[in-house]
Amino acid sequence: MAVITTVQALNDALGLMMAEDQRVYCLGEDIGKMGGDFGVTRGLYDEFGGERVRDTPLSEAAIIGAAVGSAMVGMRPVAEIMFADFIGTCYDQVVNNAAKVHYMFDGQFRAPIVIRTACGGGFGGGPHHSQQIEGWFMNVPGLVIVAPSNPHDAKGLLIASIEDDNPILFLEHKALYRQKGEVPEGKYTVPLRKAKVVRPGKDITVVTSMKTLYDAMAAANELEAEGVSVEVIDLRTLRPWDHQTVLESVARTGRAIVVNEAPKIGGLAADVSAVISEEAFSYLKAPVMRVCGLDTPIPFSLPLEKLILPDKDRVKQGILKVCGK
Amino acid sequence: MPEVSPDQYLALFRDMWRVRKFEQALEREFKRGKVPGMLHVGLGQEATLAAIAHSLRKEDGIFPDHRCHGLLFLKGTPGKKIMAELFGRATGICSGKGGSLHSADASVNNFGDNGVQGSYMVTALGVALGWKMQGKNNVSAVVVGDGTSGRGEWHESMNLASVWKAPVFFICVNNGYAISTPVGFSHATEDLVDFAKSYKIPAVQVDGNDVLASFQATQEAVAHIRAGKGPYFVEYKTWRWQGMFSGEFRPAEEVKYYKEDHEPIALAKADLLKKGIASPEQLDAIEKEAEAEIEEWVSYAQNSPLPDPAKATANVYIGWEVESWQS
Ligand SMILES: Cc1ncc(C[n+]2csc(CCOP(=O)(O)OP(=O)(O)O)c2C)c(N)n1
Ligand SMILES: [Mg+2]
């Protein structure tokens, strides 16, 4: 097994799928010769040509619209929106077409598209290059949101997403792009809508995704020494997320916190904690807590940004509080 | 200009009447409360609609706007299934889940309208791109009103259709107004064709109430696109009878001009008679037949069952079901 970065793992997935399936093609800004802002499509232009690795202008609505339309006639587009923050410019296309064509025409059409986009903060990207955007889409029936936390899952989830028939918003956390990990060669998939218990524990369940997984893992490792046994879950699919894995865990531990970079109000963490309260109330020894970003835009200056995002220490404090320590 | 045979001319005339009768029946039933939701009709725009329908093949794509009920059945979908959809019935083309603003029929490559006006301008680009990549020479036709042409998607799709030489047929139905706003008041030009020209797309303007002129312009557009030469743009200058929701806000002389002096069916009728293509009796019979056919569709729709409740949660996702109400 090779040790490669998330970027290389994603690149691998795209290359494999494009070689295997003529219907798969990529479109987006500067994804051709240049290989994308983060290098995820690097080399694909040389291998597959400009027809299948298609550069566009800054026309995000047309990128998603072209993806949806071509998918409706049988293609398998992988669209890149350079930064997740830009998705507001094509929100309508995602929400009102990609996610609805199957339903509103009662199954006559499908929109099997993958929208890859770079999200997340922590690097001084400022208000328009740092946001965690799944909350903008939590209320959109028909849409699937996938969010890997490591190179292995990135490749397997991207292949599974390209093969899936639903429209998929595929979130790539910028802080994880250069992270390395063992990745099998060749084709494999990681199942969609299936969370993973990354670290088993007895006292509390911490539900995470993407970068917050590492905050939770670090907190869990430190707390082990203090005698708190923390179970950490990586959701991997954020909507519709895997209730069963989370509820089974909470039934064992009796406590839960949900970590998310985005603000609390109306976000993923709100939904996860509501479902735990609704479905597993009788198992709970304490209220479910959310450890989330503050209700602010993302400020530019690094110390300010650090102030508003969750981190290892904030997760740790949360765990201790819910455990009554 | 391609010649139009007498038979073709009569067929266009007949379909103008079918559109007219369809919309009139629909408006009547809407006012009776039988058609739920919102309703916009294509009365006054029959020549444009017939010209388009007669120029597209079954396999060509169509993105019909909110005044295109006529196009839906002229494209080949059984009219009774369109009517049933508008009545929200189980027998409708989308099982009653789409309605007037979302009626699609995959079997004739009708990709459906969008209630968010014009969002599909970029979907049409995608269909064209997909077909081009697959080596097909189908035309992807998209209807856009003058008001809707203010959207950024219009410009994004024209630019990329031009760059990609994608087979998009831009059908600009300029009926002079958005809801109430005159086209010249809200756009940099009253001639929307100017925008297309700036994107290097071949573009023409035609009298959308003149069915022959519209038909000929449309034929040329479709031939150009089908030959693989990229997109084409036709601006049909027409006028809608319906104010929008209620009342009339347009100048009386304008209303008279379009409803009497320059009314598309009357224009075609006078021309057909002048050219001796048909007798007055024959033309009247065409009108009567159209009316009878449409009324059959209305009764079919009215007598159709309401949708199966299971449809409410069907086809949200592919591969799994959504949760329903629990007891
Ligand atoms: C994106 C969007 N904005 C506004 C509306 C509300 N609306 C419906 S029709 C319409 C005017 C459309 O004008 P035009 O494109 O000229 O079409 P017409 O009705 O004149 O045929 C408006 C503003 C809408 N449905 N979608
Ligand atoms: Mg108008």
Side-chain angles (χ1 to χ4, degrees):
Chain A
M1 241 189 292
V3 174
I4 58 174
T5 64
T6 301
V7 166
Q8 288 166 326
L10 293 166
N11 182 268
D12 231 29
L14 290 172
L16 278 169
M17 292 309 289
M18 289 181 75
E20 178 188 294
D21 186 346
Q22 282 297 315
R23 301 171 304 169
V24 179
Y25 76 100
C26 300
L27 75 169
E29 294 156 27
D30 306 289
I31 64 165
K33 275 212 165 70
M34 183 183 133
D37 252 19
F38 298 95
V40 174
T41 56
R42 193 162 292 155
L44 298 178
Y45 179 93
D46 292 334
E47 195 176 344
F48 300 103
E51 285 281 301
R52 291 180 69 201
V53 188
R54 196 172 274 271
D55 276 325
T56 70
L58 283 72
S59 294
E60 283 78 8
I63 293 171
I64 304 305
V68 172
S70 62
M72 286 169 85
V73 294
M75 301 300 282
R76 294 255 162 190
V78 181
E80 176 172 308
I81 299 295
M82 195 178 272
F83 282 78
D85 312 66
F86 309 164
I87 215 157
T89 60
C90 50
Y91 193 69
D92 171 53
Q93 294 300 326
V94 180
V95 168
N96 285 314
N97 270 320
K100 288 196 179 83
V101 290
H102 188 59
Y103 181 85
M104 67 188 176
F105 304 135
D106 198 33
Q108 295 184 78
F109 293 104
R110 298 176 168 202
I113 69 168
V114 177
I115 305 168
R116 297 182 31 252
T117 191
C119 66
F123 76 111
H128 290 170
H129 290 79
S130 307
Q131 294 167 93
Q132 201 55 283
I133 55 134
E134 74 280 333
W136 302 354
F137 294 96
M138 283 308 287
N139 236 317
V140 181
L143 187 68
V144 178
I145 307 179
V146 176
S149 67
N150 61 75
H152 172 276
D153 286 1
K155 178 172 169 181
L157 285 170
L158 184 53
I159 291 173
S161 296
I162 293 170
E163 289 188 330
D164 194 79
D165 283 333
N166 295 285
I168 290 178
L169 181 57
F170 193 91
L171 302 178
E172 301 169 1
H173 199 295
K174 296 187 285 289
L176 306 179
Y177 266 146
R178 308 288 159 202
Q179 186 207 50
K180 286 189 170 169
E182 286 196 341
V183 175
E185 268 154 46
K187 187 175 165 185
Y188 67 93
T189 57
V190 169
L192 303 183
R193 294 190 308 125
K194 195 88 198 88
K196 186 179 178 195
V197 177
V198 179
R199 183 188 198 280
K202 290 198 288 289
D203 300 325
I204 184 166
T205 301
V206 183
V207 183
T208 71
S209 56
M210 297 183 271
K211 180 174 165 290
T212 61
L213 169 71
Y214 300 96
D215 299 324
M217 290 296 280
N221 290 338
E222 286 186 19
L223 286 167
E224 192 72 47
E226 297 175 32
V228 184
S229 168
V230 181
E231 176 144 315
V232 180
I233 292 180
D234 178 5
L235 282 178
R236 303 199 292 198
T237 294
L238 308 188
R239 129 175 266 294
W241 56 275
D242 177 3
H243 290 196
Q244 194 185 345
T245 298
V246 171
L247 293 173
E248 277 173 11
S249 170
V250 174
R252 271 185 280 109
T253 62
R255 294 185 177 87
I257 72 170
V258 190
V259 193
N260 191 229
E261 256 181 63
K264 261 186 210 173
I265 301 175
L268 171 66
D271 191 56
V272 175
S273 61
V275 170
I276 295 172
S277 303
E278 250 174 28
E279 305 283 332
F281 188 73
S282 58
Y283 296 98
L284 287 176
K285 299 171 194 155
V288 183
M289 180 193 265
R290 289 170 290 163
V291 178
C292 294
L294 301 185
D295 195 24
T296 73
I298 310 274
F300 165 65
S301 182
L302 281 169
L304 295 181
E305 183 178 19
K306 202 171 154 33
L307 260 174
I308 68 139
L309 295 178
D311 59 12
K312 176 203 66 175
D313 290 331
R314 295 192 175 109
V315 174
K316 206 170 146 183
Q317 283 160 20
I319 292 171
L320 289 171
K321 189 165 174 210
V322 172
C323 291
K325 307 238 168 171
Chain B
M1 282 284 165
E3 268 303 308
V4 180
S5 71
D7 281 353
Q8 177 70 70
Y9 200 171
L10 279 173
L12 285 162
F13 182 75
R14 177 165 170 272
D15 280 341
M16 287 166 70
W17 268 124
R18 292 169 85 213
V19 174
R20 169 78 48 91
K21 295 294 178 186
F22 187 98
E23 299 289 46
Q24 286 177 328
L26 193 60
E27 214 173 29
R28 180 191 73 216
E29 297 303 319
F30 180 74
K31 286 179 180 153
R32 285 184 187 159
K34 306 280 188 197
V35 176
M38 296 163 292
L39 188 69
H40 315 82
V41 292
L43 292 171
Q45 303 180 172
E46 296 86 352
T48 296
L49 297 172
I52 295 162
H54 280 249
S55 304
L56 297 176
R57 297 180 184 161
K58 184 177 170 193
E59 62 271 23
D60 288 331
I62 183 76
F63 289 80
D65 87 351
H66 55 304
R67 301 193 187 278
C68 288
H69 302 128
L71 266 187
L72 304 179
F73 63 85
L74 294 185
K75 189 74 180 24
T77 304
K80 59 183 187 178
K81 301 199 79 167
I82 301 295
M83 193 65 88
E85 182 64 28
L86 302 176
F87 276 70
R89 303 303 168 119
T91 51
I93 193 66
C94 299
S95 317
K97 288 166 78 169
S100 166
L101 293 176
H102 315 273
S103 290
D105 180 358
S107 72
V108 298
N109 279 341
N110 161 12
F111 293 95
D113 187 13
N114 276 185
V116 185
Q117 285 285 332
S119 291
Y120 62 28
M121 291 183 270
V122 285
T123 327
L125 170 73
V127 165
L129 175 64
W131 280 339
K132 192 178 156 105
M133 291 177 80
Q134 293 161 356
K136 297 189 173 148
N137 73 343
N138 301 352
V139 171
S140 175
V142 57
V143 180
V144 183
D146 52 281
T148 306
S149 67
R151 290 196 60 185
E153 280 82 346
W154 199 52
H155 300 271
E156 290 189 12
S157 62
M158 281 198 289
N159 179 52
L160 274 172
S162 182
V163 172
W164 291 342
K165 287 222 169 314
V168 183
F169 176 19
F170 290 98
I171 296 167
C172 178
V173 179
N174 185 349
N175 57 19
Y177 298 86
I179 290 180
S180 67
T181 310
V183 57
F185 186 86
S186 54
H187 293 273
T189 166
E190 286 195 21
D191 300 306
L192 298 170
V193 71
D194 295 345
F195 290 110
K197 286 178 182 159
S198 75
Y199 292 109
K200 316 288 183 212
I201 296 175
V204 297
Q205 237 175 4
V206 65
D207 179 350
N209 280 18
D210 177 337
V211 75
L212 276 195
S214 295
F215 178 65
Q216 286 170 327
T218 313
Q219 292 276 308
E220 285 187 6
V222 170
H224 172 98
I225 301 164
R226 207 181 303 288
K229 295 180 191 164
Y232 201 99
F233 183 106
V234 179
E235 177 182 357
Y236 300 83
K237 293 258 192 194
T238 180
W239 194 86
R240 59 172 146 80
W241 286 12
Q242 196 185 35
M244 185 53 133
F245 312 113
S246 61
E248 184 54 77
F249 56 88
R250 298 165 295 190
E253 61 277 18
E254 183 180 313
V255 175
K256 177 181 176 304
Y257 176 74
Y258 282 108
K259 278 189 148 171
E260 295 170 21
D261 311 340
H262 203 63
E263 187 278 300
I265 294 185
L267 284 180
K269 186 171 180 177
D271 193 44
L272 282 161
L273 291 173
K274 196 178 92 194
K275 289 179 174 151
I277 293 175
S279 66
E281 295 72 29
Q282 282 170 309
L283 296 185
D284 288 346
I286 287 176
E287 178 188 350
K288 297 254 154 38
E289 279 162 28
E291 182 165 332
E293 183 186 20
I294 302 299
E295 292 306 328
E296 269 176 41
W297 299 351
V298 172
S299 16
Y300 174 83
Q302 255 161 357
N303 295 320
S304 286
L306 290 168
D308 173 357
K311 278 289 178 193
T313 50
N315 289 325
V316 179
Y317 302 95
I318 297 155
W320 70 93
E321 300 299 317
V322 300
E323 201 180 307
S324 202
W325 295 107
Q326 285 159 346
S327 44

